[in-house]
Amino acid sequence: MDCYTANWNPLGDSAFYRKYELYSMDWDLKEELRDCLVAAAPYGGPIALLRNPWRKEKPASARPVLEIYSASGVPLASLLWKSGPVVSLGWSAEEELLCVQEDGVVLVYGLHGDFRRHFSMGNEVLQNRVLDARIFHTEFGSGVAILTGAHRFTLSANVGDLKLRRMPEVPGLQSAPSCWTALCQDRVAHILLAVGPDLYLLDHAACSAVTPPGLAPGVSSFLQMAVSFTYRHLALFTDTGYIWMGTASLKEKLCEFNCNIRAPPKQMVWCSRPRSKEKAVVVAWERRLMVVGDAPESIQFVLDEDSYLVPELDGVRVFSRSTHEFLHEVPVASEEIFKIASMAPGALLLEAQKEYEKESQKADEYLREIQELGQLPQAVQQCIEAAGHEHWPDMQKSLLRAASFGKCFLDRFPPDSFVRMCQDLRVLNAVRDYHIGIPLTYSQYKQLTIQVLLDRLVLRRLYPLAIQICEYLRLPEVQGVSRILAHWACYKVQQKDVSDEDVARAINQKLGDTPGVSYSDIAARAYGCGRTELAIKLLEYEPRSGEQVPLLLKMKRSKLALSKAIESGDTDLVFTVLLHLKNELNRGDFFMTLRNQPMALSLYRQFCKHQELETLKDLYNQDDNHQELGSFHIRASYAAEERIEGRVAALQTAADAFYKAKNEFAAKATEDQMRLLRLQRRLEDELGGRFLDLSLHDTVTTLILSGQNKRAEQLARDFRIPDKRLWWLKLTALADLEDWEELEKFSKSKKSPIGYLPFVEICMKQHNKYEAKKYASRVGPEQKVKALLLVGDVAQAADVAIEHRNEAEMSLVLSHCTGATDGATADKIQRARAQAQKK
Amino acid sequence: MAFPHRPDAPELPDFSMLKRLARDQLIYLLEQLPGKKDLFIEADLMSPLDRIANVSILKHEVDKLYKVEKKPAFSSSEQLCFLVRPRIKNMRYIASLVNADKVAGRTRKYKVIFSPQKFYACEMVLEEEGVYGDVSCDEWAFSLLPLDVDLLSMELPEFFRDYFLEGDQRWINTLAQALHLLSTLYGPFPNCYGIGRCAKMSYELWKRLEEEEDGETKGRRPEIGHIFLLDRDMDFVTALCSQVVYEGLVDDTFRIKCGSVDFGPEVTSSDKSLKVLLNAEDKVFNEIRNEHFSNVFGFLSQKARNLQAQYDRRRGMDIKQMKNFVSQELKGLKQEHRLLSLHIGACESIMKKKTKQDFQELIKTEHALLEGFNIRESTNYIEEHIDRQVSPIESLRLMCLLSITENGLIPKDYRSLKTQYLQSYGPEHLLTFSNLRRAGLLTEQAPGDTLTAVESKVSKLVTDKAAGKITDAFSSLAKRSNFRAISKKLNLIPRVDGEYDLKVPRDMAYVFSGAYVPLSCRIIEQVLERRGWQGLDEVVRLLNCSELAFTDMTKDDKASSESLRLILVVFLGGCTFSEISALRFLGREKGYRFIFLTTAVTNSARLMEAMSEVKA
């Protein structure tokens, strides 16, 4: 056990710091790190080196090379830098490399050296050149802060949503600040800068001088400043070799330390773990590394080589040409277990398990000791926790074995913390592997979440590993495997050397119909790479036809898009395609296309009916649909046209169309209407009153009502109104006029084609019983009873019914017999009925 | 006599959730436009809105309410909100308002809320009118209005014309969405049946929606065991008949609008009109709604006597009993009294109107048409009906009934009836006839039976999904009704031995005085009985739906026996109250309960009006 704590260095009384190797780097660096611009992404991210930067002493002719390595030194990309001089490099939260050029242009590269985009930090920056730049991370994403040659600051808090902010001027600032940093407080980015003995805080409105509380006197300049990973703490290194550590708000001092080294350090970064009370700063000089905190002594390491510090959430990574190490505060659980002579329950449990393996009875003694104190659950918990913080699988295993051993003696210990730790460690060990090179610690992993880790694996094109992790953790398909397969497919379509068929087949084989995979997204990517044919092939696999349409339109496959839209049943989609087609094709072709798609045609027709009447006409014309054309003109004759000439003309066109459609009936009816319209116009002129737009029937009625019997007769003859109708019409009109004399004359003019029962009915409707009776006598025998009943002559009706010996008539009369008055009649019928039955 | 439900009748699901959902969504949408605003509501949406949210709820969010009308609106509010159906004319109205403001140099905020959904064409019009950037658009997915405990309506009367006449399929998506909503709320439907092109398309689209959003309904217990989708054009006959059950008759006479009816002074026997909600909560109405009209009067008078007896009880009461009576029973009795007098008034009014129009003659003709005898006489009756200008809609209805039952009019009658009609009601009805022909409602008999060959070819063409849809010329051919043959096959005209006892109906024919079993209901009955279309091949062929009848049963052990006796019937293009009554009757006979979902409640007049062209 004692050997295990050999690399533990105490800082003060309460904390230990340890440094262990993550990887031995086998990158083949030709030059020293100090000759390069270096940027390493947090969370075990990649390292970017831009060699041969624009140093004055170097010849300008050689183009520099930008190289990207994984944290284990595996080369990921290498490209010749062809753009302008670069001032600073940095990684965004999405692991994109931001290269800030001297002219304020920021170029964005992917992990594999693929150029993504670029943006400018504004004119002011362009004019004054960039003196210095920092990439920093905020809640919103990654920000860029720039110090210009005019000693002004410009920053953007989120490069994803670029909003440039020019910070206020620092009064009296003549030279570049000795050091500066971007701070992020209350979701706002600030700049803290040091000029001589003074500190200034810039927010977007003002510049204010600040003084750290409890700063030792005699400071004439600040050489370095460092903000912690979470922006909560700040450390200042002065020219007196004095380090001030406090809160980033500069309201509180935590501690101070005097290292007596006046040389400016190369780097200074915070080294603390979340929720730990210990605060420490790591300072690096050329050959020396120092950990200082709230203790009179510091921990010192010798650096054999040029090294570079990468601050992490829970420690500091230190890499050089040959090694990559991690320096951090030993977590509490580990400390408890491994501290020399520790009697913590976890330590005892670990010991017990080891004895058990040796088959020694001491195991029992240790166990009893823990159990007597009732601390077995804590012991197990401690071992599980400590396992998480161990880098080496062997040590993880022995701690987990101890935990598992302890669990045997517990009744109700919930298993999930143990199981989850085993799973997490398996994932962590997998990604920490040299080939993968993501040296995440347990705390970092938890902070990052599994989803982001998977994203990062996808970004590194490590699809098989990502899928295995998903399957191992049993993530739901939509978030897990299918998402990764979709990413894989998007990558696959970019492989230009493989034929369309092979790519499409390979993708379909892998993806099948995995839920949550959108073939249209993949196809869109293929199209983006200029592979239209492949995109169409891929779209064939898309089960939702609606999804295929927008891309097909984009690829100018409008006709295919139209049939897909129709298949989808979404009329809005069909309409979208239609309008596309309308603009794309000439009218004739457009109509032809419509003709072959009746569903689209009727949709478009509906739209035209309301919005584009002329187009509707053209559509019918194109189709030689004379029937509909006729209808169209008929509608126009009473909806669009006002003047009578126009209306007649419209009707004439309609009639012609109907003839062409071989619909003679409609044509004749239309021609009749033209005649009627002209006639009505004449009637209005001659007689006054309103005739236009009355139906033929109403026209004749109106004429009769206004006493124009002659004209009415003439009209009836002209338009061949059938006798029956004319009789009904006249009868009703004359009764309305209550012109009983004329009615009687009319009734005698010849034999009524509708019989005389209607006369009775109509008279009764006008409540003229007297007239009604006149006609009742003329009603034919089969309707006699009805007529008599209508005029209320029940007795006579009964007589007629009995005479007819008609059963139905008799019951009809009977149903009209009411109360006492018709009692006699009712009896009579009953008797007749009885008689009839006898026979 | 009211029909009591069988004791084992399943409970209906609670559909009031749909109301709450719609109301909450509307309020949310209105809140999206914070501050004072005026709301313009399309007339068609007023009544449905009234059924789910009262004005006081809206007043929270809205300053003044206006109706969307043709005339310009004078609103002084800085924010205008429009609640409209997705129609082009509404878009033009809104655009004109916005443009008028622009001319006047006024800037306001405009928000358009489309119900039940937005159509791309509408946005297009806004764009063409140059106001697309000035208005914000939203959707109020209010597609299912529970009109009663067992009746859901989409309140989309235009569905019928749009789909069955114009061939416009845009509402199908809305319908599929509505079905999807039902299945998310009330669990999946283990058994699905349907017939008709629209039914099939809706079903397929709905299933696709379910697939896309899979997982949500899985594992849920189905609450409703069966769903049956039926196109209106499977059965125009039933919809064209005069209704004689009370609820149908009230609809035919007074027009029930969105579950309520305006009873005029002649009914209320006062000088005011009264708006009355007609649903299961009206105890009196609930007992007579499904009754043949001839029973209603007797029932009501019996009820009146009972009521009187209950009032009379108080004569012998002492003080304490009287106190009890007044505090507990009197209110209920008074309420019942009020309802009773209303329905008696309605009955009287119906009787008066019907005798005036020779209702008996009319019904006799209809029955003759249904049974197929005395065609000549019926034709003459119709002609006289037209000549006398009795009613344009009624005449049209009879012509259509004649055409469908007879597989089209013989050419001579076709011409003469049309000529007579044009003379009576004006030439613009030439367009009406063209519409009716296209919809297959009024056609000319084709000479001979040579058609069948073409027909079968067409129906094949029709069912080919890719080629898909048919041209107009073919569609009218394909729509031969074959009513007579179907009627024989399905035994729609009951053999009558003696008088049909309308008081104790023995089959669904009672809704048409025992003369005719509604075809739509018979189809549903048969399919449910056979659990599919087996053995109905001939009927399906006669309905021209060889490839358009479908069954989809999933083996679902989770479905309780109770849920398996609940059946959701979806009428695409509307259903009538007679059909509802008939199925309610069937449900009672067989121990099922039916739930109805319709695009709108319809009747013969609405059907005809949808087909008519009237001068603007």
Side-chain angles (χ1 to χ4, degrees):
Chain A
M1 200 69 347
D2 44 6
C3 65
Y4 188 74
T5 52
N7 64 347
W8 289 24
N9 302 285
L11 185 70
D13 304 329
S14 52
F16 291 92
Y17 285 78
R18 71 174 163 189
K19 190 169 74 138
Y20 57 82
E21 190 180 69
L22 295 170
Y23 305 110
S24 71
M25 305 290 272
D26 72 344
W27 51 8
D28 193 18
L29 288 188
K30 291 189 194 69
E31 297 183 44
E32 292 299 325
L33 280 177
R34 75 169 85 89
D35 292 333
C36 300
L37 280 174
V38 183
Y43 293 102
I47 302 167
L49 299 175
L50 186 57
R51 297 195 200 168
N52 193 7
W54 295 262
R55 293 271 173 97
K56 302 219 165 48
E57 62 267 28
K58 294 266 176 185
S61 62
R63 286 189 185 274
V65 179
L66 175 68
E67 299 203 307
I68 301 173
Y69 295 94
S70 78
S72 57
V74 175
L76 295 175
S78 163
L79 61 141
L80 219 54
W81 188 258
K82 290 177 183 161
S83 311
V86 174
V87 177
S88 178
L89 294 178
W91 290 94
S92 75
E94 294 85 33
E95 298 202 317
E96 284 180 326
L97 182 63
L98 307 176
C99 311
V100 186
Q101 288 193 147
E102 204 179 53
D103 56 2
V105 172
V106 180
L107 296 127
V108 185
Y109 285 87
L111 196 65
H112 296 277
D114 43 323
F115 176 74
R116 294 272 167 86
R117 63 205 155 91
H118 69 90
F119 55 89
S120 161
M121 292 299 286
N123 266 336
E124 199 263 346
V125 178
L126 176 67
Q127 277 160 21
N128 296 317
R129 318 308 280 174
V130 179
L131 212 57
D132 196 4
R134 298 282 151 82
I135 315 294
F136 58 99
H137 302 281
T138 65
E139 292 97 322
F140 318 112
S142 308
V144 179
I146 284 188
L147 170 63
T148 68
H151 310 308
R152 290 287 299 267
F153 289 93
T154 296
L155 67 78
S156 162
N158 179 9
V159 294
D161 173 25
L162 199 68
K163 280 191 195 102
L164 294 178
R165 242 181 28 224
R166 197 161 171 230
M167 305 304 268
E169 205 171 348
V170 182
L173 185 63
Q174 290 305 319
S175 59
S178 56
C179 59
W180 63 278
T181 188
L183 283 176
C184 202
Q185 278 168 345
D186 305 328
R187 308 167 71 92
V188 183
H190 305 280
I191 299 278
L192 182 69
L193 69 152
V195 184
D198 302 317
L199 285 174
Y200 297 97
L201 188 65
L202 291 177
D203 56 27
H204 55 274
C207 165
S208 44
V210 283
T211 4
L215 187 73
V219 174
S220 61
S221 150
F222 295 92
L223 299 182
Q224 266 288 4
M225 53 176 75
V227 197
S228 68
F229 204 76
T230 52
Y231 292 100
R232 222 171 281 153
H233 302 112
L234 176 74
L236 300 166
F237 189 98
T238 70
D239 58 345
T240 52
Y242 164 86
I243 300 169
W244 179 92
M245 286 176 260
T247 56
S249 59
L250 288 165
K251 295 228 170 75
E252 201 185 319
K253 182 169 100 169
L254 291 170
C255 56
E256 58 184 8
F257 184 83
N258 209 323
C259 69
N260 293 321
I261 301 174
R262 282 161 185 260
K266 253 181 65 191
Q267 265 185 298
M268 177 166 81
V269 298
W270 281 84
C271 174
S272 55
R273 95 178 12 264
R275 285 181 297 281
S276 162
K277 285 201 295 288
E278 301 301 321
K279 305 291 170 226
V281 168
V282 180
V283 194
W285 285 270
E286 207 65 14
R287 285 283 173 262
R288 192 204 301 260
L289 192 69
M290 191 184 273
V291 183
V292 302
D294 191 10
E297 295 299 317
S298 64
I299 306 169
Q300 309 233 1
F301 298 99
V302 175
L303 294 175
D304 301 328
E305 293 175 288
D306 205 13
S307 293
Y308 188 83
L309 305 185
V310 189
E312 289 280 6
L313 177 72
D314 55 350
V316 177
R317 283 191 288 137
V318 185
F319 66 84
S320 67
R321 275 176 75 103
S322 58
T323 61
H324 195 154
E325 294 173 307
F326 188 60
L327 168 62
H328 74 146
E329 183 204 337
V330 177
V332 183
S334 310
E335 191 186 320
E336 297 255 282
I337 291 178
F338 294 114
K339 203 162 67 178
I340 294 164
S342 168
M343 292 298 281
L348 292 176
L349 181 60
L350 184 62
E351 212 51 40
Q353 198 270 336
K354 280 186 179 155
E355 295 299 333
Y356 171 74
E357 266 181 17
K358 283 190 242 159
E359 298 182 4
S360 150
Q361 85 281 7
K362 272 191 185 162
D364 184 50
E365 280 171 33
Y366 285 126
L367 256 181
R368 273 177 203 286
E369 204 177 328
I370 311 172
Q371 273 175 321
E372 269 160 29
L373 292 166
Q375 286 180 326
L376 195 52
Q378 288 96 306
V380 173
Q381 204 55 56
Q382 246 173 12
C383 285
I384 293 173
E385 210 179 304
H389 293 297
E390 287 309 315
H391 187 72
W392 304 111
D394 286 343
M395 190 48 79
Q396 294 165 2
K397 277 185 204 159
S398 73
L399 284 164
L400 287 173
R401 236 180 262 126
S404 157
F405 176 68
K407 254 159 41 93
C408 297
F409 300 93
L410 282 170
D411 269 351
R412 266 189 224 111
F413 189 82
D416 36 327
S417 62
F418 180 79
V419 173
R420 208 174 311 124
M421 182 57 78
C422 290
Q423 289 176 338
D424 286 342
L425 281 176
R426 186 141 185 222
V427 172
L428 278 177
N429 289 336
V431 300
R432 281 171 189 166
D433 184 274
Y434 177 83
H435 299 286
I436 309 297
I438 305 179
L440 277 182
T441 66
Y442 182 74
S443 328
Q444 289 166 20
Y445 168 64
K446 284 290 147 186
Q447 180 76 19
L448 201 62
T449 71
I450 181 69
Q451 299 305 343
V452 179
L453 178 60
L454 287 173
D455 280 346
R456 298 205 159 175
L457 290 175
V458 165
L459 208 59
R460 286 164 174 75
R461 296 176 192 155
L462 299 166
Y463 306 106
L465 176 63
I467 288 176
Q468 270 169 3
I469 290 178
C470 291
E471 282 169 353
Y472 175 64
L473 294 179
R474 298 207 187 100
L475 295 181
E477 281 208 329
V478 177
Q479 297 164 33
V481 174
S482 25
R483 196 167 60 102
I484 288 154
L485 280 175
H487 278 293
W488 166 78
C490 288
Y491 171 62
K492 187 83 184 166
V493 297
Q494 294 170 29
Q495 292 178 346
K496 304 240 156 141
D497 48 335
V498 189
S499 76
D500 291 344
E501 283 80 18
D502 291 347
V503 173
R505 203 179 315 118
I507 288 177
N508 185 240
Q509 257 168 19
K510 273 250 163 46
L511 271 61
D513 41 10
T514 323
V517 168
S518 159
Y519 277 98
S520 51
D521 287 353
I522 302 167
R525 184 66 69 93
Y527 177 64
C529 308
R531 299 181 75 166
T532 314
E533 286 308 314
L534 175 60
I536 291 173
K537 282 202 171 63
L538 286 169
L539 277 182
E540 287 298 315
Y541 295 120
E542 172 65 60
R544 296 161 297 172
S545 34
E547 293 289 310
Q548 307 172 346
V549 173
L551 186 61
L552 285 172
L553 279 183
K554 218 163 145 194
M555 299 194 296
K556 304 225 179 310
R557 303 291 160 117
S558 316
K559 286 184 187 168
L560 190 56
L562 184 61
S563 51
K564 292 287 179 195
I566 290 170
E567 228 171 82
S568 80
D570 181 345
T571 47
D572 266 8
L573 209 54
V574 177
F575 208 82
T576 319
V577 181
L578 278 185
L579 291 179
H580 233 270
L581 278 172
K582 192 180 155 196
N583 295 333
E584 200 175 277
L585 304 174
N586 67 41
R587 220 172 162 78
D589 289 348
F590 177 55
F591 286 170
M592 271 316 276
T593 315
L594 280 180
R595 209 172 165 177
N596 297 326
Q597 301 283 7
M599 185 260 192
L601 179 62
S602 43
L603 195 69
Y604 190 64
R605 243 190 233 153
Q606 279 282 77
F607 175 73
C608 289
K609 255 181 206 168
H610 294 285
Q611 193 69 1
E612 288 177 20
L613 275 176
E614 279 307 300
T615 317
L616 187 65
K617 198 170 76 184
D618 294 348
L619 262 173
Y620 292 142
N621 256 326
Q622 163 94 12
D623 279 1
D624 289 335
N625 192 340
H626 298 295
Q627 173 64 33
E628 287 297 331
L629 261 179
S631 299
F632 177 85
H633 288 296
I634 295 259
R635 196 171 289 116
S637 82
Y638 63 81
E641 290 286 345
E642 296 275 331
R643 296 168 308 113
I644 206 84
E645 297 79 27
R647 296 183 57 178
V648 172
L651 287 174
Q652 183 62 58
T653 329
D656 293 348
F658 283 136
Y659 275 123
K660 276 191 202 148
K662 302 218 165 39
N663 187 344
E664 299 217 356
F665 173 81
K668 284 264 159 34
T670 311
E671 282 171 351
D672 279 351
Q673 174 59 13
M674 285 158 59
R675 274 202 297 148
L676 183 62
L677 262 184
R678 290 206 191 94
L679 195 95
Q680 286 172 332
R681 179 60 182 274
R682 214 164 52 233
L683 287 175
E684 279 192 7
D685 289 347
E686 290 170 17
L687 303 174
R690 181 116 186 95
F691 283 96
L692 272 179
D693 281 331
L694 291 182
S695 70
L696 181 61
H697 186 110
D698 293 342
T699 312
V700 178
T701 307
T702 314
L703 282 173
I704 294 175
L705 288 178
S706 49
Q708 301 284 339
N709 278 328
K710 277 249 171 62
R711 280 187 194 257
E713 302 271 345
Q714 182 64 36
L715 202 63
R717 264 198 304 282
D718 284 355
F719 285 88
R720 289 194 299 276
I721 292 181
D723 257 3
K724 274 189 186 174
R725 173 188 290 281
L726 193 63
W727 275 70
W728 270 112
L729 191 158
K730 266 193 151 172
L731 166 61
T732 322
L734 290 174
D736 277 352
L737 281 175
E738 306 200 12
D739 189 347
W740 306 115
E741 206 177 316
E742 185 66 26
L743 183 63
E744 193 167 352
K745 235 197 280 166
F746 169 58
S747 76
K748 286 175 181 158
S749 63
K750 64 176 185 178
K751 190 173 177 291
S752 162
I754 53 174
Y756 291 93
L757 185 62
F759 282 77
V760 182
E761 276 174 33
I762 299 278
C763 290
M764 283 311 288
K765 258 186 197 154
Q766 300 289 345
H767 308 291
N768 192 334
K769 206 168 182 173
Y770 173 74
E771 289 293 329
K773 278 191 173 163
K774 273 191 202 164
Y775 300 108
S777 57
R778 296 167 66 183
V779 172
E782 64 272 19
Q783 285 176 323
K784 194 88 171 189
V785 175
K786 254 191 189 169
L788 288 169
L789 284 175
L790 267 175
V791 296
D793 195 343
V794 182
Q796 209 185 332
D799 289 346
V800 176
I802 292 166
E803 193 182 315
H804 287 173
R805 292 196 188 138
N806 184 322
E807 181 59 37
E809 281 180 7
M810 281 193 262
S811 5
L812 187 68
V813 178
L814 210 50
S815 70
H816 275 77
C817 291
T818 46
T821 47
D822 302 322
T825 320
D827 287 347
K828 206 165 156 190
I829 295 174
Q830 297 292 13
R831 273 201 306 280
R833 261 189 174 174
Q835 217 167 15
Q837 265 158 16
K838 252 185 242 163
K839 283 176 191 170
Chain B
M1 171 207 60
F3 303 115
H5 281 291
R6 282 168 40 152
D8 62 341
E11 282 288 309
L12 291 168
D14 174 21
F15 290 115
S16 61
M17 198 193 312
L18 293 167
K19 287 190 190 181
R20 283 200 302 277
L21 266 177
R23 182 174 54 221
D24 293 351
Q25 203 202 350
L26 179 63
I27 289 174
Y28 171 78
L29 286 173
L30 290 173
E31 278 171 354
Q32 297 300 98
L33 190 68
K36 276 193 158 196
K37 58 194 156 278
D38 285 356
L39 181 63
F40 290 70
I41 305 179
E42 174 154 18
D44 285 10
L45 280 168
M46 290 272 199
S47 304
L49 188 63
D50 203 38
R51 298 296 303 268
I52 59 149
N54 51 32
V55 179
S56 65
I57 289 180
L58 286 181
K59 278 284 177 200
H60 271 299
E61 291 303 323
V62 174
D63 206 21
K64 285 197 195 98
L65 283 172
Y66 296 89
K67 209 189 219 174
V68 170
E69 280 165 317
K70 271 196 181 147
K71 49 185 191 252
F74 301 99
S75 159
S76 56
S77 180
E78 284 310 301
Q79 305 197 92
L80 304 184
C81 191
F82 301 88
L83 186 59
V84 292
R85 291 269 186 229
R87 293 176 183 143
I88 285 173
K89 74 171 181 8
N90 288 330
M91 296 306 105
R92 283 214 288 265
Y93 168 78
I94 292 167
S96 70
L97 259 177
V98 176
N99 280 327
D101 277 354
K102 274 188 187 167
V103 171
R106 195 161 176 192
T107 47
R108 313 201 232 201
K109 267 194 179 167
Y110 312 92
K111 184 188 181 80
V112 186
I113 301 175
F114 294 96
S115 178
Q117 70 172 115
K118 182 166 70 179
F119 285 129
Y120 183 63
C122 291
E123 291 179 295
M124 262 287 305
V125 174
L126 287 178
E127 202 180 319
E128 279 182 7
E129 305 280 330
V131 298
Y132 186 63
D134 304 287
V135 301
S136 62
C137 296
D138 244 316
E139 282 181 339
W140 181 35
F142 172 43
S143 53
L144 290 171
L145 173 67
L147 287 179
D148 209 335
V149 286
D150 59 352
L151 174 59
L152 307 174
S153 168
M154 296 180 72
E155 291 298 310
L156 284 175
E158 63 250 62
F159 187 103
F160 177 68
R161 187 179 163 122
D162 281 350
Y163 180 79
F164 291 103
L165 178 61
E166 313 279 6
D168 183 341
Q169 303 174 2
R170 62 199 173 137
W171 295 115
I172 291 180
N173 193 26
T174 320
L175 183 78
Q177 297 279 4
L179 292 175
H180 182 53
L181 176 69
L182 279 182
S183 67
T184 37
L185 291 178
Y186 302 102
F189 297 89
N191 304 300
C192 308
Y193 320 93
I195 187 162
R197 174 180 311 287
C198 186
K200 195 162 189 212
M201 281 197 286
S202 313
Y203 179 75
E204 280 166 4
L205 197 58
W206 169 38
K207 283 292 139 183
R208 214 174 305 150
L209 283 177
E210 308 260 281
E211 271 166 36
E212 276 169 35
E213 259 177 67
D214 57 349
E216 261 181 54
T217 54
K218 273 185 198 139
R220 278 211 52 177
R221 276 176 74 94
E223 281 186 51
I224 304 166
H226 308 262
I227 181 169
F228 197 114
L229 291 96
L230 183 97
D231 279 15
R232 183 70 269 173
D233 66 351
M234 289 300 106
D235 174 18
F236 280 135
V237 172
T238 306
L240 287 174
C241 290
S242 298
Q243 307 194 68
V244 285
V245 284
Y246 184 64
E247 193 167 10
L249 203 47
V250 169
D251 189 30
D252 275 0
T253 321
F254 303 101
R255 295 239 169 177
I256 298 177
K257 199 174 145 202
C258 207
S260 70
V261 68
D262 274 319
F263 281 138
E266 79 276 13
V267 174
T268 55
S269 47
S270 63
D271 48 359
K272 268 185 294 191
S273 297
L274 195 61
K275 196 170 177 181
V276 184
L277 266 187
L278 294 179
N279 57 29
E281 276 166 37
D282 178 340
K283 295 259 162 47
V284 177
F285 176 69
N286 198 35
E287 286 186 82
I288 53 173
R289 65 194 310 185
N290 300 317
E291 288 286 333
H292 190 272
F293 187 66
S294 60
N295 298 338
V296 172
F297 219 72
F299 173 82
L300 289 176
S301 53
Q302 179 60 42
K303 190 101 189 159
R305 273 196 295 279
N306 290 350
L307 200 62
Q308 190 58 47
Q310 280 191 295
Y311 272 119
D312 290 346
R313 273 199 302 128
R314 81 207 136 133
R315 292 229 177 95
M317 283 177 186
D318 59 26
I319 282 276
K320 200 172 168 203
Q321 285 169 322
M322 184 64 98
K323 197 177 158 197
N324 242 342
F325 175 79
V326 171
S327 65
Q328 286 168 12
E329 285 173 55
L330 194 58
K331 204 175 156 214
L333 289 179
K334 275 197 168 153
Q335 166 79 358
E336 212 174 321
H337 182 168
R338 197 181 65 84
L339 292 171
L340 205 52
S341 61
L342 261 181
H343 288 295
I344 290 174
C347 279
E348 276 175 353
S349 176
I350 289 170
M351 299 256 262
K352 229 181 267 165
K353 276 187 192 158
K354 292 301 176 191
T355 43
K356 213 194 265 169
Q357 288 167 15
D358 261 333
F359 197 50
Q360 289 304 335
E361 285 287 307
L362 187 73
I363 296 280
K364 223 171 85 190
T365 310
E366 274 180 30
H367 290 176
L369 288 175
L370 290 168
E371 286 171 49
F373 67 85
N374 283 346
I375 296 304
R376 192 73 261 146
E377 207 168 282
S378 301
T379 314
N380 290 342
Y381 176 84
I382 297 170
E383 194 167 344
E384 188 184 307
H385 205 269
I386 298 169
D387 284 350
R388 293 176 59 186
Q389 288 186 312
V390 179
S391 144
I393 291 296
E394 287 274 278
S395 300
L396 213 51
R397 172 173 80 84
L398 289 170
M399 285 163 77
C400 291
L401 203 55
L402 175 65
S403 163
I404 296 183
T405 50
E406 287 295 296
N407 245 343
L409 302 177
I410 52 173
K412 190 178 134 275
D413 289 342
Y414 186 58
R415 281 165 167 272
S416 77
L417 285 179
K418 281 204 301 187
T419 312
Q420 295 306 317
Y421 194 86
L422 293 179
Q423 288 190 356
S424 274
Y425 298 114
E428 66 272 17
H429 287 289
L430 209 50
L431 302 180
T432 309
F433 289 130
S434 144
N435 290 344
L436 289 170
R437 201 177 81 94
R438 183 130 50 102
L441 277 162
L442 184 61
T443 54
E444 189 173 357
Q445 257 174 31
D449 253 351
T450 48
L451 214 63
T452 37
V454 186
E455 210 182 323
S456 62
K457 216 176 189 175
V458 169
S459 66
K460 245 183 223 130
L461 216 148
V462 165
T463 51
D464 184 2
K465 198 182 168 206
K469 333 302 147 101
I470 29 163
T471 55
D472 293 343
F474 277 128
S475 71
S476 57
L477 282 185
K479 278 176 184 158
R480 283 192 63 192
S481 66
N482 302 321
F483 177 76
R484 199 71 63 215
I486 295 168
S487 168
K488 214 168 273 162
K489 205 94 208 150
L490 288 176
N491 206 6
L492 297 182
I493 312 292
R495 245 178 282 286
V496 188
D497 312 316
E499 195 90 338
Y500 189 100
D501 187 357
L502 291 167
K503 284 209 169 72
V504 191
R506 53 167 188 251
D507 56 21
M508 293 190 282
Y510 92 94
V511 300
F512 293 115
S513 313
Y516 161 66
V517 179
L519 169 58
S520 51
C521 305
R522 180 70 103 195
I523 295 175
I524 292 165
E525 178 197 27
Q526 289 294 312
V527 171
L528 287 175
E529 214 162 76
R530 294 159 200 257
R531 316 215 76 204
W533 296 96
Q534 302 90 336
L536 293 173
D537 309 341
E538 183 62 14
V539 174
V540 170
R541 197 188 64 78
L542 288 170
L543 287 167
N544 305 310
C545 280
S546 300
E547 309 278 330
L548 299 174
F550 56 91
T551 323
D552 187 359
M553 311 228 223
T554 43
K555 188 98 189 87
D556 196 330
D557 304 327
K558 276 183 296 204
S560 62
S561 69
E562 179 151 333
S563 74
L564 283 175
R565 283 181 290 125
L566 275 178
I567 300 140
L568 176 71
V569 184
V570 185
F571 284 93
L572 302 132
C575 75
T576 64
F577 281 119
S578 294
E579 287 168 312
I580 293 177
S581 291
L583 287 175
R584 280 179 185 149
F585 170 83
L586 182 68
R588 275 189 303 268
E589 291 287 294
K590 308 254 171 177
Y592 302 138
R593 276 198 94 172
F594 284 95
I595 302 158
F596 307 92
L597 194 171
T598 177
T599 50
V601 176
T602 191
N603 60 18
S604 53
R606 292 195 190 98
L607 226 53
M608 290 295 107
E609 280 160 12
M611 291 287 156
S612 294
E613 294 279 339
V614 271
K615 283 180 206 169

